[in-house]
Amino acid sequence: MKKTLIFSAMLALAASSWSQTAVIKGKFHKLMPNGREAGEVFFSKANDGDLEVIMPMIKSRQEQVFRAEVKKEDLNTIRYVGLFDEQYAVYLKPGDELTVDAGDGQIIYSGKVNKENQVFADYYKMVKPLRTYGYTKDNYRLPSDGYLKIVDSLTKPVEQFIKNINTGNAAFDKQAKYFLTYSYKYDVLIPTASGLNIGKENEYPESLVKFYNDEKWTDANIWTLPMGYPYMLNFAFVKHIIYNAKQGMAADFLIPEISNKELKAKFILAQAERGATMNYVQYLERNEQFMQTKEQREKIKVLLKRGRLQQPGGDWIDFSYPDASGKMHKLSDNLGKVVFIDVWATWCAPCLKEQPALEELEKSFAGKDIVFISLSIDTDKAKWQKMVEEEKLSGLHLFTNNKGPVVSDYEIKEIPRFILFDKHGKTVDINAPRPTDAKLKALIEATLKGEKIASK
């Protein structure tokens, strides 16, 4: 009797736990640029104008299916399944088990399809002809007149469909109406942004021209969408670069058109943080005036500081790291001397290959006004210290633990990385030649003399 009670309690606990989660499973067909089938699909949420991956869902090798448990915090709200630009909305409730079969712009929902997912199923079925132009292989080769007919035939039915959404779930209905309104607009853009040739400017139909000209960017809520930033950028590219045949960066043409100040500031920062600008520093200086909050103003100042660091003549960003004994050393301690920085790690074979040439370089400049600093991005301090001591490595060796300004402000993405500053703390080359390259010695000699020389 006691065992039966325990077993019943365990079943009840398991049922209670399961009822707080949901399951999503199925297939997602997507070819990668290398021609291979994608091995995973992402379960994501909207965040800061884009998608934030909640969890990757690995596809089984043979059946190419995925399965994942969705936690309580991701239930009763719209989430997204997909990869890169191809995304599908889902809405899961506690205890749901939803199966999807998606790819090439299409999706089929099966299993326990609740009222909310039925809205998405009906919507994607309706816009299937349009999404064929946006998400299938070689879509740019499809006839443009077919695309134009589809857009003309779908615009009013889609508007009516969205207007009539009424599941009885008021929060969902409001969220879905807003999302699907822009989802459709985004799908209208994608074919042209992907290379579908409509023709010259005067060959564009009035409906598309109106679509391009009517958007005044008055609604800051666009940034709550999973494709807020991509929608704005693709819109700018299609309208200004493809349709108007302008020369330059699409974002630069869009920014003056964004009438909502909050949306404008967020778009400017998103563009900057992705590095998608022609001249980074000029872009930031030109748009710094549009920041609205203290946080935004501080953020753009940090980005400007990092951007100027990257340019010859820009100010270095100070840092402080410990040597093997724990003594802290600042970069600014070396003002008045040329500073050569080597960013490396004990596990980096190319870094170690440069070490003999670096040692010879240091010897050749002995007694000169130059300091050689080696910054390790190792996280195993003992291993780093042992190599420095056993190999009797010359120069000043500091331990970063892969943290601090050298990682964030200097944006070290790969090593070895070599950086040269002049005696005034100004950047000579943020990505200097390697010690094995004879150009480096000539560059250092010129810097010691106060001369300017091209390092590349």
Side-chain angles (χ1 to χ4, degrees):
M1 181 66 176
K2 188 175 182 180
K3 288 184 177 179
T4 302
L5 288 173
I6 293 174
F7 182 68
S8 298
M10 290 176 65
L11 284 176
L13 183 63
S16 175
S17 176
W18 179 79
S19 68
Q20 298 301 311
T21 63
V23 171
I24 185 167
K25 59 183 180 179
K27 296 183 177 182
F28 183 84
H29 318 278
K30 184 76 171 179
L31 290 179
M32 303 296 285
N34 60 10
R36 294 183 179 179
E37 180 72 22
E40 62 183 353
V41 57
F42 296 140
F43 185 75
S44 308
K45 65 180 180 180
N47 182 38
D48 200 24
D50 216 328
L51 283 167
E52 177 186 335
V53 176
I54 297 170
M55 60 178 168
M57 300 180 290
I58 307 300
K59 293 157 66 175
S60 62
R61 288 190 177 183
Q62 290 187 345
E63 295 85 2
Q64 289 290 295
V65 298
F66 65 87
R67 187 183 189 281
E69 184 177 16
V70 180
K71 295 181 180 179
K72 182 180 179 180
E73 56 266 30
D74 296 308
L75 303 179
N76 298 313
T77 189
I78 298 177
R79 293 292 184 248
Y80 307 92
V81 175
L83 199 63
F84 308 131
D85 61 328
E86 187 175 352
Q87 301 289 331
Y88 302 88
V90 295
Y91 188 96
L92 295 166
K93 300 177 182 180
D96 280 358
E97 186 164 328
L98 179 68
T99 301
V100 300
D101 189 344
D104 292 333
Q106 306 170 40
I107 185 169
I108 297 173
Y109 298 78
S110 59
K112 187 175 181 180
V113 182
N114 56 40
K115 291 182 294 183
E116 291 83 357
N117 282 325
Q118 190 60 53
V119 169
F120 294 136
D122 294 340
Y123 170 79
Y124 288 121
K125 184 177 181 181
M126 177 187 292
V127 299
K128 174 182 174 182
L130 177 60
R131 288 176 68 89
T132 298
Y133 270 83
Y135 302 99
T136 53
K137 185 181 179 183
D138 298 333
N139 58 330
Y140 61 93
R141 294 181 179 177
L142 295 171
S144 60
D145 58 342
Y147 158 76
L148 297 174
K149 289 178 182 177
I150 289 169
V151 172
D152 284 341
S153 68
L154 278 178
T155 300
K156 288 184 178 179
V158 166
E159 288 177 0
Q160 195 62 43
F161 175 87
I162 294 172
K163 182 180 179 181
N164 292 337
I165 293 174
N166 183 13
T167 63
N169 181 341
F172 168 82
D173 292 347
K174 181 179 179 181
Q175 192 179 8
K177 286 179 179 181
Y178 192 74
F179 163 67
L180 291 179
T181 296
Y182 280 94
S183 180
Y184 178 69
K185 290 182 178 183
Y186 187 61
D187 286 344
V188 169
L189 287 173
I190 288 298
T192 315
S194 301
L196 183 69
N197 183 19
I198 295 177
K200 297 179 181 178
E201 184 175 352
N202 60 4
E203 295 175 306
Y204 277 64
E206 185 180 346
S207 58
L208 276 186
V209 177
K210 187 176 186 301
F211 171 58
Y212 301 151
N213 292 329
D214 280 357
E215 181 60 82
K216 304 301 181 185
W217 310 108
T218 60
D219 187 2
N221 287 321
I222 288 174
W223 214 246
T224 66
L225 296 169
M227 68 297 193
Y229 171 75
Y231 170 66
M232 295 180 73
L233 197 59
N234 275 286
F235 188 99
F237 177 69
V238 170
K239 176 181 177 180
H240 294 290
I241 306 301
I242 298 179
Y243 170 62
N244 287 324
K246 294 180 181 178
Q247 299 292 319
M249 298 294 289
D252 291 333
F253 297 122
L254 181 69
I255 290 169
E257 297 180 348
I258 306 174
S259 56
N260 184 282
K261 293 180 180 180
E262 180 185 349
L263 183 62
K264 179 181 287 193
K266 288 179 177 179
F267 178 80
I268 288 168
L269 279 176
Q271 187 76 354
E273 289 172 332
R274 289 163 174 80
T277 59
M278 190 78 75
N279 186 307
Y280 191 70
V281 171
Q282 287 183 9
Y283 171 85
L284 292 171
E285 290 175 339
R286 184 168 64 248
N287 293 301
E288 187 177 11
Q289 60 180 309
F290 298 119
M291 298 300 101
Q292 299 298 304
T293 67
K294 181 181 178 181
E295 183 182 2
Q296 289 172 343
R297 288 189 286 270
E298 290 175 350
K299 180 65 176 177
I300 205 166
K301 287 185 185 302
V302 169
L303 295 176
L304 263 170
K305 198 173 183 180
R306 292 175 183 174
R308 288 167 179 152
L309 167 70
Q310 304 288 328
Q311 297 183 330
D315 292 325
W316 68 23
I317 296 178
D318 203 7
F319 58 68
S320 180
Y321 289 111
D323 61 19
S325 68
K327 181 181 178 181
M328 301 300 292
H329 297 263
K330 289 184 177 181
L331 176 59
S332 55
D333 292 339
N334 301 290
L335 270 174
K337 294 185 178 182
V338 171
V339 179
F340 181 74
I341 292 176
D342 161 33
V343 186
W344 72 295
T346 58
W347 44 261
C348 169
C351 301
L352 301 180
K353 188 178 179 181
E354 292 293 327
Q355 192 60 39
L358 179 59
E359 299 271 343
E360 287 300 316
L361 190 69
E362 291 183 41
K363 288 178 183 178
S364 70
F365 286 104
K368 301 290 180 67
D369 287 335
I370 182 170
V371 175
F372 290 84
I373 303 176
S374 291
L375 296 170
S376 166
I377 62 168
D378 281 279
T379 54
D380 186 337
K381 187 174 182 179
K383 184 180 179 181
W384 162 75
Q385 189 169 348
K386 181 180 179 182
M387 177 174 283
V388 172
E389 292 173 353
E390 289 185 352
E391 299 295 328
K392 296 181 173 56
L393 301 181
S394 60
L396 176 62
H397 281 264
L398 305 179
F399 183 72
T400 73
N401 197 29
N402 200 27
K403 295 178 180 178
V406 73
V407 177
S408 57
D409 294 324
Y410 285 71
E411 300 179 285
I412 301 298
K413 305 296 183 185
E414 58 183 31
I415 54 174
R417 176 79 172 272
F418 303 97
I419 304 168
L420 185 64
F421 294 113
D422 69 15
K423 296 178 181 180
H424 307 289
K426 304 291 185 180
T427 301
V428 175
D429 197 334
I430 199 70
N431 195 8
R434 296 186 177 194
T436 50
D437 187 338
K439 291 180 182 178
L440 176 59
K441 188 173 184 180
L443 181 63
I444 292 175
E445 289 173 342
T447 305
L448 283 166
K449 297 175 182 177
E451 299 173 356
K452 291 184 179 181
I453 183 173
S455 60
K456 300 293 188 290

